[in-house]
Amino acid sequence: MPSSPNTRWQDTAVDQAARARLKGQAPRCIWFTGLSGAGKSTLANALELRLHAQGRHTYLLDGDNVRHGLNRDLGFTQADRTENIRRVAQAARLMTDAGLIVIVSTISPYLSDRQSARALFPQDGFIEVYLNTSIEECERRDPKGLYAKARRGELKDFTGIDSAYEPPVQCELTLDAGQFDVDACVEKIIECLTNRNSI
Ligand SMILES: Nc1ncnc2c1ncn2[C@@H]1O[C@H](COP(=O)(O)OP(=O)(O)O)[C@@H](O)[C@H]1O
Ligand SMILES: [Mg+2]
């Protein structure tokens, strides 16, 4: 909904279908969710590399990167996390409108925020990949040292420690990235996308 009653949707002569046709692909939003250290950025990167090598037009919206620019004014309170996801989802929506296959990797801890994100896309346009890597494994990996920091009480509102993570009730793929190596995980994601005629 627009914030002002005086704005009106402007149709454009070049539309999503035209842009996608030129790229020879179906626009998609592939949304990774899971705890910090679950493997979202690693797998999103590996997946983008794979799709790019196949000639797909892609973009990776990584949560940490978006917080350096578009969302640099946001922190980790519940309200800020919700606004963070709203903006990421809207950015992804714009990019699919441009005809891209967009990969999103962000904790996105709240079910309702992910549902709102999903609602921006057609039914086959949103593929939610839940990395249910156990918190024990995430904490063992601790690639950024954040679990250690949170345990020492030096980091507040850390997902899985003192901030909630709400797992998906229904998603397109659940993957334990603590069980399989990166290549095997990418293979499973590609298989899921292929089965859905998404790539
Ligand atoms: N199967 C796997 N999938 C993804 N990451 C893995 C896997 N096995 C080990 N790792 C390691 O786990 C860490 C995951 O970190 P990262 O991708 O930054 O997580 P996130 O973006 O979810 O916070 C990396 O150091 C990565 O090398
Ligand atoms: Mg990451």
Side-chain angles (χ1 to χ4, degrees):
M1 287 299 268
S3 58
S4 161
N6 299 318
T7 57
R8 185 174 55 86
W9 186 263
Q10 175 66 54
D11 284 324
T12 58
V14 177
D15 61 7
Q16 185 193 39
R19 298 183 194 106
R21 203 176 311 120
L22 207 56
K23 293 180 170 61
Q25 63 185 29
R28 292 286 184 266
C29 176
I30 305 163
W31 188 288
F32 285 87
T33 175
L35 294 173
S36 178
K40 301 179 299 295
S41 297
T42 303
L43 292 175
N45 252 296
L47 176 65
E48 186 179 31
L49 196 59
R50 195 56 192 266
L51 296 176
H52 182 79
Q54 291 173 4
R56 306 296 181 197
H57 299 261
T58 59
Y59 193 80
L60 170 50
L61 275 169
D62 191 272
D64 273 18
N65 292 358
V66 175
R67 280 180 178 278
H68 279 76
L70 178 65
N71 291 356
R72 66 184 310 158
D73 56 322
L74 300 175
F76 292 87
T77 62
Q78 199 167 328
D80 277 9
R81 284 175 187 269
T82 293
E83 176 61 11
N84 178 50
I85 296 310
R86 189 191 70 80
R87 290 186 203 168
V88 169
Q90 290 286 350
R93 172 62 233 278
L94 290 174
M95 288 182 178
T96 58
D97 211 34
L100 296 174
I101 296 170
V102 184
I103 304 168
V104 173
S105 55
T106 166
I107 299 174
S108 42
Y110 305 135
L111 197 53
S112 61
D113 292 345
R114 294 193 307 272
Q115 276 164 349
S116 300
R118 179 184 288 273
L120 297 176
F121 299 87
Q123 217 227 312
D124 57 358
F126 189 85
I127 297 113
E128 188 174 350
V129 180
Y130 170 39
L131 298 185
N132 71 344
T133 315
S134 70
I135 189 160
E136 292 77 18
E137 174 64 13
C138 292
E139 191 160 0
R140 196 186 61 71
R141 292 176 177 174
D142 205 5
K144 293 181 267 179
L146 297 179
Y147 284 92
K149 242 183 174 172
R151 293 289 186 199
R152 289 197 302 268
E154 293 166 13
L155 184 58
K156 263 175 49 70
D157 298 330
F158 191 67
T159 303
I161 308 285
D162 60 348
S163 186
Y165 180 82
E166 301 168 359
V169 177
Q170 230 183 350
C171 62
E172 282 67 18
L173 180 65
T174 300
L175 194 54
D176 184 348
Q179 290 258 330
F180 309 99
D181 66 16
V182 172
D183 286 347
C185 288
V186 172
E187 221 44 66
K188 285 176 193 292
I189 297 162
I190 294 280
E191 192 184 301
C192 167
L193 295 174
T194 306
N195 289 342
R196 299 183 158 271
N197 293 325
S198 285
I199 52 168

